[in-house]
Amino acid sequence: MTPSGTTSGGAAGPAGQPAWELLLPAVGAPARRRGRALQEALREAVRSGRLGAGTRLPSTRELAADLGVSRGLVTEAYEQLTAEGYLRGERGAGTWVGGAVRAGGAVKADGPGGGSGGAGGGDGVDG
């Protein structure tokens, strides 16, 4: 259970710990570097397999509250990693670890019929 009394949407690491606990070291970074540190920690958790493909991540609001950082910082990290192909999601529908991550940490593009099967670019931005 997280400090906010939730279970982080079911996202758990290999030992059953909530996924956000993998990101705790990033919030200890100096304020000017905290956003980049959060992105790096989340990216590494995906690359290493600690967050497997299809794992649902906590909402930006929930993760920000649990980590004690601004929601904007978490939103920025999710958006950047979505643009890089590590995450996928849609506004209001949640964010998941993308299925395009290979063990070596490289991100491959999904071909036709790949990905989540939804319409659009999968970047979670309307318009």
Side-chain angles (χ1 to χ4, degrees):
M1 184 175 296
T2 66
S4 64
T6 64
T7 58
S8 295
Q17 71 187 69
W20 64 264
E21 288 182 3
L22 301 170
L23 307 176
L24 284 175
V27 299
R32 291 177 45 185
R33 193 164 142 55
R34 198 167 291 143
R36 186 173 301 249
L38 181 61
Q39 291 174 22
E40 290 170 359
L42 188 53
R43 188 180 297 112
E44 180 55 31
V46 173
R47 282 181 180 163
S48 69
R50 288 179 288 166
L51 290 176
T55 301
R56 185 170 183 164
L57 299 178
S59 70
T60 56
R61 180 170 288 147
E62 180 183 356
L63 185 59
D66 288 345
L67 294 176
V69 299
S70 74
R71 184 177 177 199
L73 195 90
V74 175
T75 299
E76 207 171 277
Y78 278 17
E79 288 175 352
Q80 177 61 37
L81 291 164
T82 297
E84 293 175 15
Y86 290 98
L87 304 179
R88 62 181 173 85
E90 294 182 32
R91 188 167 286 132
T95 303
W96 296 265
V97 175
V101 179
R102 288 187 261 165
V107 177
K108 65 179 180 181
D110 287 328
S116 63
D123 63 359
V125 179
D126 296 331

